[in-house]
Amino acid sequence: CKKTRARNLIAGVHTDGPKTALRRFEEGYQLCTILNDARLMAMAAAVGIALGGPRTEFRVFAPTTTVPPDAAWPQADWQLTVMAVAANPLLDSPRIVVRPSAHQVQTYRGVRWADRSQELLETAVVDAFEESGRIGAVGRMANTARGDFALFMEVRAFETIYRDGQPEAVIEVQANLVQLRGGSRGGNAVASRRFRQVVPGASPEVDAMVEAFSQALSGMSGELVGWTLTEGNRIRAAGAAESAGK
């Protein structure tokens, strides 16, 4: 094979991936000749992986949450739809983010969350509402009918942050409560608040930090439930008073 073909094949591996590169072999590239170039041995390993060779193993973690109902939470007779998004692409993935310093962002090697950060949050919040028994109905926006209110959450932080050499699980969420039905403010945000949970890790080990995230996510879910119930009832009461005064 000509060197130009080898260069094109390398480009294919970098831009299109090993499966496309393998297809190019079948279209006329001679593998035996290409492998004579030692620089392409790494590419051959990548093709082997595409064909079912060794794969990277990941440990997968899922934070567990426990949110006991608070006696101060009000009862609500309205329905809620919940949706969460990530503020940036790094959080919009199952990678576990860590900040060793204020200006450095990394991810833990060889480990993953069971889901993306916004989906972990969404699941925890929906579960907390269901377990509370304080709301008429709650569901995800992706698979439920529209409720009276929508709780939109943007994950701003879901990461390990080192402070004075000690790791902390940090979850930060911007929450917006939108009235979807009833009243004069339908479709508009009626309440907004930033929430932040910080839980120190018992050690820098991944297992210890997952436990810290479980506690932080539990605390975050409880705060969101209590705030949403209170604000939703406040807006409903204000709407009823406005209607009565007309």
Side-chain angles (χ1 to χ4, degrees):
C1 298
K2 294 181 180 180
K3 291 183 178 179
T4 53
R5 288 185 175 180
R7 285 197 295 269
N8 289 339
L9 188 55
I10 294 174
V13 172
H14 287 303
T15 60
D16 300 322
K19 291 185 179 179
T20 301
L22 182 63
R23 188 170 64 251
R24 290 181 181 178
F25 288 151
E26 298 171 350
E27 292 173 352
Y29 289 104
Q30 299 179 23
L31 179 60
C32 60
T33 303
I34 290 173
L35 290 180
N36 287 332
D37 190 335
R39 293 173 301 172
L40 300 181
M41 293 300 291
M43 183 280 300
V47 172
I49 292 175
L51 293 174
R55 297 177 182 274
T56 302
E57 295 291 335
F58 293 101
R59 295 171 64 199
V60 179
F61 292 91
T64 57
T65 56
T66 303
V67 186
D70 191 324
W73 292 348
Q75 189 71 38
D77 61 358
W78 37 268
Q79 299 180 358
L80 179 69
T81 302
V82 175
M83 180 180 181
V85 298
N88 60 64
L90 192 58
L91 295 173
D92 188 22
S93 80
R95 291 173 291 182
I96 304 180
V97 181
V98 56
R99 292 182 182 268
S101 63
H103 305 293
Q104 187 179 16
V105 181
Q106 300 176 350
T107 57
Y108 285 105
R109 182 177 300 177
V111 296
R112 292 287 189 272
W113 289 124
D115 221 328
R116 297 177 298 172
S117 65
Q118 67 268 35
E119 287 158 350
L120 294 174
L121 174 67
E122 199 174 273
T123 297
V125 170
V126 170
D127 286 349
F129 271 110
E130 291 175 340
E131 292 294 326
S132 75
R134 303 295 175 86
I135 194 167
V138 62
R140 301 172 187 261
M141 182 161 287
N143 54 16
T144 189
R146 192 171 74 166
D148 300 294
F149 290 92
L151 175 62
F152 292 101
M153 302 172 292
E154 183 180 59
V155 181
R156 300 287 180 86
F158 202 104
E159 56 202 20
T160 297
I161 295 179
Y162 276 78
R163 192 185 310 275
D164 298 327
Q166 298 300 315
E168 298 175 335
V170 178
I171 302 177
E172 187 172 298
V173 174
Q174 176 64 39
N176 294 286
L177 187 64
V178 175
Q179 188 172 19
L180 299 178
R181 297 187 300 200
S184 60
R185 305 179 66 181
N188 296 319
V190 293
S192 298
R193 183 177 163 185
R194 182 77 58 86
F195 295 86
R196 184 178 176 88
Q197 284 281 325
V198 179
V199 177
S203 78
E205 297 298 323
V206 174
D207 297 80
M209 291 312 303
V210 170
E211 175 57 32
F213 273 104
S214 295
Q215 295 177 32
L217 191 55
S218 296
M220 176 65 69
S221 301
E223 280 196 276
L224 286 163
V225 169
W227 175 78
T228 302
L229 292 171
T230 300
E231 291 299 314
N233 278 0
R234 178 181 66 82
I235 296 303
R236 294 269 285 192
E242 181 181 340
S243 298
K246 289 181 179 180

